[in-house]
Amino acid sequence: MNIENKTKAQVLIDALPYIQKYADKVIVIKYGGNAMTNDELKQAVMSDIVLLSLVGIKVVLVHGGGPEINDMLGRVGIESRFVGGLRYTDKETVEIVQMVLAGKVNKDLVSLLHSHGGKALGLCGLDGQLLLAEKKQGDVDLGYVGEVTSVNVDPVLDALKDGYIPVIATVASSKDGQVYNINADTAAAQIAAALKAENLLLMTDIRGLLRDKDDEDSLIPDVNVSDVPYLKSQGIISGGMIPKIDCCVEAVRRGVHVTSIIDGRIPHSLLIELFSNEGIGTLLH
Amino acid sequence: MNIENKTKAQVLIDALPYIQKYADKVIVIKYGGNAMTNDELKQAVMSDIVLLSLVGIKVVLVHGGGPEINDMLGRVGIESRFVGGLRYTDKETVEIVQMVLAGKVNKDLVSLLHSHGGKALGLCGLDGQLLLAEKKQGDVDLGYVGEVTSVNVDPVLDALKDGYIPVIATVASSKDGQVYNINADTAAAQIAAALKAENLLLMTDIRGLLRDKDDEDSLIPDVNVSDVPYLKSQGIISGGMIPKIDCCVEAVRRGVHVTSIIDGRIPHSLLIELFSNEGIGTLLH
Amino acid sequence: MNIENKTKAQVLIDALPYIQKYADKVIVIKYGGNAMTNDELKQAVMSDIVLLSLVGIKVVLVHGGGPEINDMLGRVGIESRFVGGLRYTDKETVEIVQMVLAGKVNKDLVSLLHSHGGKALGLCGLDGQLLLAEKKQGDVDLGYVGEVTSVNVDPVLDALKDGYIPVIATVASSKDGQVYNINADTAAAQIAAALKAENLLLMTDIRGLLRDKDDEDSLIPDVNVSDVPYLKSQGIISGGMIPKIDCCVEAVRRGVHVTSIIDGRIPHSLLIELFSNEGIGTLLH
Amino acid sequence: MNIENKTKAQVLIDALPYIQKYADKVIVIKYGGNAMTNDELKQAVMSDIVLLSLVGIKVVLVHGGGPEINDMLGRVGIESRFVGGLRYTDKETVEIVQMVLAGKVNKDLVSLLHSHGGKALGLCGLDGQLLLAEKKQGDVDLGYVGEVTSVNVDPVLDALKDGYIPVIATVASSKDGQVYNINADTAAAQIAAALKAENLLLMTDIRGLLRDKDDEDSLIPDVNVSDVPYLKSQGIISGGMIPKIDCCVEAVRRGVHVTSIIDGRIPHSLLIELFSNEGIGTLLH
Amino acid sequence: MNIENKTKAQVLIDALPYIQKYADKVIVIKYGGNAMTNDELKQAVMSDIVLLSLVGIKVVLVHGGGPEINDMLGRVGIESRFVGGLRYTDKETVEIVQMVLAGKVNKDLVSLLHSHGGKALGLCGLDGQLLLAEKKQGDVDLGYVGEVTSVNVDPVLDALKDGYIPVIATVASSKDGQVYNINADTAAAQIAAALKAENLLLMTDIRGLLRDKDDEDSLIPDVNVSDVPYLKSQGIISGGMIPKIDCCVEAVRRGVHVTSIIDGRIPHSLLIELFSNEGIGTLLH
Amino acid sequence: MNIENKTKAQVLIDALPYIQKYADKVIVIKYGGNAMTNDELKQAVMSDIVLLSLVGIKVVLVHGGGPEINDMLGRVGIESRFVGGLRYTDKETVEIVQMVLAGKVNKDLVSLLHSHGGKALGLCGLDGQLLLAEKKQGDVDLGYVGEVTSVNVDPVLDALKDGYIPVIATVASSKDGQVYNINADTAAAQIAAALKAENLLLMTDIRGLLRDKDDEDSLIPDVNVSDVPYLKSQGIISGGMIPKIDCCVEAVRRGVHVTSIIDGRIPHSLLIELFSNEGIGTLLH
């Protein structure tokens, strides 16, 4: 008798309640960071997603693509201009963004999912008018940076119904056809909310929300959205964590059951988060 | 980072190609032997079946119930009469068989599958006239021992379509309503053939087909049905193995892709057989 | 010209408004008493049910099986113990009850319906967790006598949708898998209520509710549920009639349109009750 | 106990095998003769049809309307002109035919079926181009008398699928829109053939095919289509019976299972023919 | 390059927003007047309707047939009797009305639509009990003139679902089967209301509502239903226009989005009204 | 009365037989050339496509994008290398091709179709593995130029079923994930063949096949595929016309009913070709 096989079987059996829990549920994954640039992590994410999809979970993959955009901007010689610390997106830049996100990153992910045995469809906000956007308002003019004004879930639901994993690049256009670059975290949260998703998972390069940002062991595993203002006032939620937490809060408020900020640097972090009772990172509900 | 979680994730990912391979396929499992009398093994089988069902496999469970029948016959004081070495089934006995198989063993399995999170329906050959039988012909009169003359797969397909795991007790009636006791291995093979199942798994209390029946290490992992006559002539297929192998050969001839004789004494033998490239026991194709 | 044929045709035409009235409606029949022990009556009931089913009525058959249970208990030498006048059901007894009801009586009825040209499926409370139960509370401990805590109509609706007559044996289990014996009248009423049935017919061995219990001509054909307390106070509803009437009242209160207590000793009492304007027995609404 | 009720129930039970036999089958009825002019017979036919429809038979009613046409022609003062013994149909006449058949007889039948609890839809050959026709060829010019060149069963199947009894008036048009009067017997046979009907019933005013046309007791209950030439040569099939038998032969040759010539003067002849083992009139198969 | 083709293409492109606007919407057309008696106009109306139907609009055609009724009444020698200025409809007349409308006008329109490539089904109020009516109440007894008491849209929706253009003759019966003649304008408005139609178009022989009835240039293109009382008080809505406007008001009040009174004397008035931004005639909303 | 409206209506009515002819048929349009670079022509093509789609035609749009690719290659400083007169596609180039076609041209077309009221979905050969390719074989090594080895029509049919206009960029990958640039004419022909399309329309910048290539009036409107070898031998099919004609021949041979080479420089050439009896350009069948 094979000891290893017994262990394997036990692992599969242990996954049973989680598979039952998520069967037929919609889970939105915001993919980015190291998990997207490190090839080994990338392969692990793709196989995780195909597995989740095979056991009956309706996975929706939303992605950004900062490094590939920067690389392309460099190649065409567009220098990044910053306004108040934020990157200004001019007409030329937004065209490059669209091309790289919707034509390169998006379709490469589709191809990779197929090579792992999945069935995927690459969409962007323009397809079936999935995302409508307008110029982001604010104190500083950031050019063609937009914010989503409405989400049309039909193309996503059509893809899911037809058995595809929808992969979504977050460029969107206004009603008059002007394309805008959209923050992928925000778009993922809005798509999750519009789909009334069971989970929104934001893959990041940090351990989660840390009580002491220099101590990875100080992870806060679980946050109630009503505690967010206090955690901000204490500086525990600060810096780049603020917009991520805000996305999560907004998603939960609009009907997403649970959102998690997970550490994409850990291989198979998606499976571990969804299929074990420990979880990874910080969960907001 | 959690080492154990990495292993867990890897096991799940390793199962991916097998889940893909069997998705939406029909697998008929003949359940019996130690796996049915030993409580720990029984729980393991039930959780295996619920898992297989959850990842999209259409599992059909066919069972016998010798020990529980013997126990009940003893309680009502029916002495077993043997004719030419085979048990004679009189009118009183076949009634007890029906009661125990269709009322006790069958419904207990249904209940057990529910306690593991599955959704099951207990059928016997009488339901929707799933199995029609007539008196088994032969040199010796065995009384109400029958052989299946036709399989109506509709009740099984209806149950699968409605999301149930069909659990089948192998009693059947003739057209004029006489009930017969049916050998469960044979019935499972005929049901598998009628369903054009992908796999037929016969759970037994032996390692598989052994080249030397006293040496468990002499397992023959793989047999082509065309080699069966030779193996019989060599005495390698002999004794109780003959009818089991004959069932498998018949099933393969009638369109079942693969049949396996697996060792039910190994916990989670179903998962190991289906979800690893080693397999357990002997495979006929 | 054939006089008899004219009569036949007239009878069929007279049935027309009743067939129209019940088309596509759910009717739950609690089957028991003489109609179940007398073979001629039994054949008549079976042909009635197949006819009702053919003309488009969704018949659900719920049955007990007291005499067959008693017979089997006798054969295995279990003596009936009574507590406060009620039979105590110990562990051994409840196992026999399950075997006899779900394995013998239930499947024999399924077989009989098939021999009359029907298409039937034998279910018990364990199948698809149709009935969940817990130990019946009360002054006296009756052992494994249960009461239904919830009815899951899905297995019944699935069977009806797939064209089967569902035949239901009233054993049920608790959430932790303990099996209980359930009173068939009560279970039938609860199933009828959960299905929002048009009719609940309780087949009994009496004429109906009698104003004078020694005078069969004193039948009360029609009772409004609001009059039940008065009829009880007058002793007109008394003895074994009390629980039957209570079942009916409960079913009507929970949405069953009409319930009837009919005399199963009359051949074809089901057809006469449903397809004539006289009716048989006592109707509660 | 009510003796009459027992008889009623028995009649219903006796109908069971016939209801099973015809369930979901298409039966085409050519309605005409006394059964259409005598009001009592008419009501009986309508209730028969509604009953057949309720027990699951797909009834298609095809009708003529000679007497009402003659009446209307009289009122508008059109004199019937005969050519070689056959009525010549001029332009004015065919307009009256269309009006009376499709507007009066047809819609009155629809209304009558509703008053018996049925659900009917009145069609003629023009609706959905159910019947295409051209001028009937022959030695004598009969004017606008047509013969069917193609049957489009879609409007009939649509009506059946949507739960209506299709009632069909046999006027038809050519491709260029010219309307023709079509013999109703022939049209019924062609519609039955196109529908691959189980039965075609021609309602007439005679007992059936008689061996001796003056002796109603000499009825031939059963004719094999291969015997028709011999019966014609013997003069047993003669006169007005020839075209009716020819319709039946053609229908059987093109796939209708059974055709019957029944005596519409007998009340409920449809029910007696279909729901008893005696039958009425002469059956061709 | 072909100038004319450019123009053609432009016209088609200009129709695009209108096709989009009405796609899958229900439009009820009351057909009558010159557009029905003038053959050229009639052909134009038929091709308009087939085109509307092909581009995805659910067209329902409701028609009267005064001239053809008068003609037939003349031929059978029925003299029109007037009561208080209104035609009295006796039993004989209502029979002629039914025959002409449902058998002649209706089926001829069906045939004509087919000759233009459409697919149509001719219905009257009796089919599927589409319209139930009772005797019209009022100061003068007009005989068999009825008013609609209920509209059953099922036959209309069934026809639309199956791809037919429903053509409706406005005769209806009471529950006891008495047929009544129904004003076609009123019936069209009630059918439109019951269907929650997007548009109701009444085809007339006038330019629309005129401020000065002798000046066709004084057309009022657009009326809000709340202005109707004032327009009546001013005598602008007067005479035969009153009942037409009342139909429109009633339809709008019961959920029809827009109603129009259009000039049927203009060829292709339906297309011009629906597919241009000018419109024809007077629109009420 | 408005003269212009009459003309408009007539144009619409004239389109009727063409709309009927193409209803529910699949038409594949290869879009390219001036019609894609000239903004006015582009808007005309988009409105044509939306109109075709609205009247029930299943339009599939396949596009190239040479000028935009060249522009981008220029911006990133990739110099075009030619081998035997053909452009060599290195790794860097194929990445740019994918980005521009699938991310820019494709999604811009999707957006443009939406701005004309259509509903579109942007796909490339990677989505749902719509196109599988391998390196193009030949005498000269052209780098990452591929040829299609199989077409999976499922993503196209899914999009059509869900109501989208599929817009397809012709990049494809091999089974091991290597991306290849595919000639858009060839891909369009293979997609049309796999879809068993009614029509394949290749939009070009020439009048069609000219008997004398310097005389636009020498257009050959109609070519039978069996005449192609002769026309090649005569030099009438020569130069850049050869591969286009070869695509058409291949498509016709594999089941496409008709293919046309049309002059994309003419505004609304699609509508004129499909909706008039003149047609534009050269038709192969």
Side-chain angles (χ1 to χ4, degrees), chain D residues 3-160:
Chain D
I3 298 274
E4 204 198 330
N5 274 337
K6 265 175 82 174
T7 312
K8 276 186 190 174
Q10 194 52 51
V11 170
L12 291 166
I13 291 304
D14 290 347
L16 194 49
Y18 301 99
I19 295 176
Q20 290 174 318
K21 177 180 170 191
Y22 293 111
D24 267 326
K25 298 280 167 52
V26 173
I27 290 184
V28 175
I29 295 166
K30 159 60 208 322
Y31 178 46
N34 276 339
M36 203 161 159
T37 47
N38 174 303
D39 191 59
E40 195 183 336
L41 289 172
K42 194 176 203 168
Q43 301 292 342
V45 170
M46 293 301 114
S47 58
D48 285 8
I49 288 171
V50 172
L51 180 67
L52 294 174
S53 154
L54 267 174
V55 300
I57 301 174
K58 292 174 173 163
V59 184
V60 176
L61 190 62
V62 178
H63 65 87
E68 304 218 25
I69 292 168
N70 288 341
D71 176 57
M72 196 66 200
L73 289 175
R75 288 176 67 186
V76 297
I78 296 179
E79 258 180 89
S80 300
R81 184 155 68 87
F82 288 84
V83 181
L86 295 164
R87 185 205 300 263
Y88 181 84
T89 302
D90 61 14
K91 191 119 197 169
E92 242 186 322
T93 302
V94 80
E95 278 189 22
I96 297 293
V97 167
Q98 175 186 331
M99 243 185 334
V100 172
L101 284 187
K104 183 89 188 65
V105 180
N106 184 269
K107 300 300 184 186
D108 284 352
L109 289 174
V110 164
S111 190
L112 214 49
L113 286 168
H114 276 278
S115 77
H116 282 83
K119 196 178 135 189
L121 206 69
L123 303 172
C124 73
L126 308 178
D127 292 291
Q129 264 177 344
L130 165 44
L131 301 175
L132 274 180
E134 57 185 27
K135 190 175 162 66
K136 191 181 171 70
Q137 300 306 313
D139 296 341
V140 283
D141 179 0
L142 293 171
Y144 295 98
V145 171
E147 51 193 4
V148 172
T149 55
S150 74
V151 177
N152 171 19
V153 292
D154 285 351
V156 183
L157 294 178
D158 286 337
L160 289 171

Side-chain angles (χ1 to χ4, degrees), chain F residues 154-214:
Chain F
D154 286 351
V156 183
L157 295 178
D158 286 336
L160 288 170
K161 168 180 61 62
D162 295 335
Y164 299 96
I165 301 166
V167 181
I168 305 174
T170 60
V171 287
S173 81
S174 62
K175 277 190 182 160
D176 59 6
Q178 175 57 49
V179 174
Y180 290 97
N181 184 15
I182 307 286
N183 177 276
D185 288 344
T186 317
Q190 289 179 284
I191 291 167
L195 288 166
K196 305 273 175 237
E198 180 69 14
N199 276 45
L200 167 67
L201 303 176
L202 296 186
M203 299 185 78
T204 65
D205 289 344
I206 45 172
R207 191 72 186 86
L209 183 62
L210 302 176
R211 199 164 290 277
D212 168 356
K213 70 169 183 270
D214 299 324

